[in-house]
Amino acid sequence: MGGVFELIDVGDVMAKFNIKLRKGRRQPMAAQGAPGFAREPRVELFLLGVSAMVGEDTFYEGAAGRDARFRDLVATVAVADPDWFARFVPWLRSGAMMRSAAVVAAVEGARAQVAAQIPGSRTVVDAALQRADEPAEALAYWLARHGRKLPKPVKRGIADAAVRLYTERSLLKYDSVGGTVRFGDVIDLTHPTAKDDRQGDLFRYALDRRHRRDNPLPASLRMVAARDALMALPVEQRREVTDPAVLGAAGMTWEALAGWRQSAMDASAWESVIPTMGYLALLRNLRNFDQAGVSDTVAETVAAKLSDPAQVAASRVLPMRFLSAYNAAPSLRWAYPLEKALQHALANVPALDRRTLILIDTSGSMQSPFSKDGTLLCWDAATVFGLALAARARTATVVSFSHDSRVFPSVAGESVLAGVRRFKDDGYFFGMGTDTEKAVRQHYDRHDRVVILTDEQAHWHNASDVAAAVPAEVPVYTWNLAGYRIGHTPTVANRHTFGGLSDAAFAMIPLIEAGSHERWPF
């Protein structure tokens, strides 16, 4: 194993373990010239955790500074309140769906607890790892930051997760040859105890695969053998393999199938793998199905799955992805199922209590692409986000603004997708310039929160301009769709700014409001 990893000198985390958690202490700070307040550490960790994209810059903090602050808070809280921390980390991964933040919190918290001789971190590390590639991610993070000496709770927590997550299918999907840390490395360094003989065979195979040892494949690994048999076929024969049962037995995903065939995915190829595709994979490939000429019969099965309420709920897919799919594949056979699916997905959007003001930037620059494939423009994303929030809010005022502004009237019983079409058809995309402060001052009327969806707010004014139009006790949430330059403003009370816009953003508002008042969702 020597020489496999490049250890990075990133310094040590100077955590202050003797700080006790204190309620109600508000210490003035400065942020962009505006007054701020230091929060109780659990509140600060919660707010940072639910909005942290580890390793990404924000407007107020560089990635290194914010990540260091996150680690310091983790170390402080893990020692000062280990019971709270043990509930927070699993929820951060499975409830808030923050993968990287949960991994960092688990291993850094374990490090702090080991130093303070506090037990229980093994369970926390295990709980933070919920997908089969995450034991390797956790190990890679530790090796890069702290070197090869693994504390027992970290080692055993990663090993427990490997036992729980490592299967033939997960190995074929996630154990990439190009990965820095492989399944075999996790097994080498954490020494997991297999739960049965078949998993023991899998562990030995993963080690052989990692170290390129030419040992015979254990007979128990039938899926791996089936994949090997497919890989051994001459390229010219691979297009003839279209039986879904054969491909499924080999754990063949649609991504793997495309590379294995070494040719374009035609209708027969898609139809052979559609039965085993997950919900999100189906949603992302509707245009590919149309271009390949997938039959209407197969398309009906896809449409039925996409519009099934139980499938939508289980997928946790949120509205923006449905609009992107609708724009990418406007075929009539997908239109109504996607409209139904988007409406079902509103159940996954948190319901906002009281009164909410939602401002959607429709200036000319919002016509720029939002998604990489161009199927979603910035104003598409902002509009579906705003209308979905409004549909779930008790009382909402939706405003389109650029140089001017106008309230977008609601229509009883209208679907979100129909609302997006009406927003565009009725002339609510204004073009021209951006005047956020003017829009806020014109339309704020004792609302309980303000949500602003824009793309270049930071280029021409700072947070205090908008804040001046809204009472200090009323939270203002700004999403800057331009992405990397803008982030939340954790040191400014009730002013939160996020970079980019993702489906996870829907959950931010109620989580932040709950955390600010120490109403923990776990």
Side-chain angles (χ1 to χ4, degrees):
M1 293 294 296
V4 172
F5 306 107
E6 179 183 0
L7 302 184
I8 303 172
D9 181 12
V10 288
D12 199 3
V13 178
M14 301 302 291
K16 299 178 181 178
F17 298 128
N18 60 340
I19 296 178
K20 294 183 179 180
L21 300 182
R22 295 184 293 272
K23 289 188 177 182
R25 182 173 182 265
R26 296 168 66 82
Q27 175 182 348
M29 302 175 69
Q32 288 291 100
F37 301 89
R39 295 188 178 95
E40 191 269 339
R42 284 173 303 189
V43 175
E44 184 71 4
L45 177 58
F46 180 90
L47 297 181
L48 186 54
V50 299
S51 60
M53 301 299 176
V54 174
E56 296 184 9
D57 288 333
T58 72
F59 182 64
Y60 287 86
E61 290 181 285
R66 186 173 57 158
D67 291 351
R69 188 163 61 88
F70 183 68
R71 292 191 301 270
D72 286 347
L73 284 165
V74 164
T76 297
V77 175
V79 171
D81 194 342
D83 291 337
W84 184 94
F85 186 76
R87 300 194 308 274
F88 168 67
V89 172
W91 173 86
L92 186 63
R93 175 60 184 90
S94 299
M97 302 296 290
M98 303 298 287
R99 293 183 59 225
S100 297
V103 169
V104 172
V107 297
E108 292 289 354
R111 182 171 183 262
Q113 289 180 344
V114 167
Q117 299 183 341
I118 295 174
S121 50
R122 171 181 179 173
T123 302
V124 176
V125 171
D126 177 28
L129 310 177
Q130 294 296 317
R131 206 172 72 179
D133 56 338
E134 291 171 5
E137 289 183 5
L139 183 58
Y141 173 86
W142 183 275
L143 292 168
R145 183 156 192 85
H146 301 301
R148 291 173 61 92
K149 186 176 181 180
L150 288 168
K152 284 185 179 180
V154 174
K155 179 186 293 187
R156 290 173 178 170
I158 294 174
D160 292 343
V163 172
R164 178 166 46 84
L165 298 169
Y166 282 7
T167 64
E168 288 182 83
R169 187 178 298 277
S170 65
L171 179 138
L172 291 171
K173 183 173 183 178
Y174 291 116
D175 188 35
S176 170
V177 173
T180 302
V181 178
R182 303 273 302 278
F183 277 38
D185 300 320
V186 172
I187 295 165
D188 250 344
L189 294 180
T190 68
H191 309 294
T193 301
K195 59 187 174 185
D196 53 32
D197 290 343
R198 186 175 181 185
Q199 191 176 58
D201 290 342
L202 179 70
F203 286 177
R204 284 187 290 275
Y205 172 71
L207 289 167
D208 289 343
R209 175 182 168 112
R210 179 65 175 104
H211 298 298
R212 301 180 182 177
R213 295 193 285 250
D214 193 21
N215 291 328
L217 179 69
S220 65
L221 303 184
R222 294 182 291 274
M223 182 175 285
V224 176
R227 175 68 70 88
D228 287 348
L230 289 181
M231 297 303 296
L233 286 176
V235 172
E236 59 272 15
Q237 295 181 22
R238 296 179 181 181
R239 295 185 64 182
E240 300 172 10
V241 182
T242 58
D243 185 345
V246 172
L247 295 172
M252 189 70 78
T253 63
W254 72 269
E255 300 98 331
L257 180 64
W260 173 71
R261 285 167 54 91
Q262 296 186 30
S263 62
M265 292 280 283
D266 57 20
S268 64
W270 281 117
E271 290 174 3
S272 70
V273 77
I274 280 174
T276 59
M277 289 175 68
Y279 190 94
L280 188 54
L282 292 173
L283 189 64
R284 287 173 169 169
N285 281 288
L286 298 181
R287 179 167 59 183
N288 291 331
F289 299 161
D290 285 345
Q291 290 176 342
V294 167
S295 72
D296 285 341
T297 300
V298 173
E300 286 174 4
T301 67
V302 174
K305 183 173 183 177
L306 291 180
S307 59
D308 180 82
Q311 293 280 348
V312 174
S315 73
R316 301 180 70 172
V317 173
L318 284 157
M320 280 186 297
R321 292 192 186 273
F322 293 107
L323 180 61
S324 180
Y326 178 84
N327 289 343
S331 165
L332 290 178
R333 65 183 183 178
W334 308 123
Y336 184 55
L338 289 173
E339 186 151 3
K340 290 202 300 182
L342 195 158
Q343 287 304 111
H344 295 323
L346 292 181
N348 293 331
V349 176
L352 300 180
D353 61 5
R354 300 174 296 164
R355 300 176 66 243
T356 306
L357 174 62
I358 301 168
L359 297 114
I360 301 172
D361 181 356
T362 56
S363 60
S365 58
M366 289 287 283
Q367 296 181 71
S368 60
F370 179 76
S371 60
K372 291 181 180 179
D373 61 4
T375 58
L376 212 61
L377 302 180
C378 284
W379 64 14
D380 288 327
T383 304
V384 74
F385 185 99
L387 295 186
L389 281 180
R392 291 283 285 160
R394 178 179 297 175
T395 304
T397 305
V398 177
V399 173
S400 172
F401 78 94
S402 62
H403 64 295
D404 201 356
S405 60
R406 183 155 54 115
V407 173
F408 179 69
S410 62
V411 174
E414 182 179 54
S415 72
V416 170
L417 197 53
V420 172
R421 289 194 294 264
R422 181 167 61 90
F423 200 97
K424 187 170 185 178
D425 294 344
D426 289 2
Y428 283 85
F429 290 112
F430 294 151
M432 305 293 287
T434 309
D435 196 337
T436 310
E437 183 185 1
K438 176 183 174 182
V440 174
R441 289 188 180 279
Q442 181 176 345
H443 296 282
Y444 177 77
D445 182 17
R446 295 170 294 175
H447 292 86
D448 297 289
R449 68 181 62 81
V450 178
V451 177
I452 304 171
L453 305 164
T454 183
D455 69 335
E456 54 185 13
Q457 172 260 351
H459 296 312
W460 57 270
H461 75 86
N462 62 44
S464 61
D465 292 322
V466 172
V470 180
E473 66 274 12
V474 175
V476 178
Y477 304 91
T478 301
W479 271 272
N480 185 291
L481 278 71
Y484 70 95
R485 287 196 67 248
I486 299 298
H488 70 295
T489 59
T491 56
V492 181
N494 285 326
R495 301 295 181 258
H496 308 278
T497 311
F498 303 89
L501 188 63
S502 70
D503 288 334
F506 283 95
M508 295 297 183
I509 295 171
L511 289 179
I512 287 172
E513 292 183 4
S516 295
H517 295 90
E518 299 186 41
R519 299 192 303 267
W520 314 120
F522 47 81

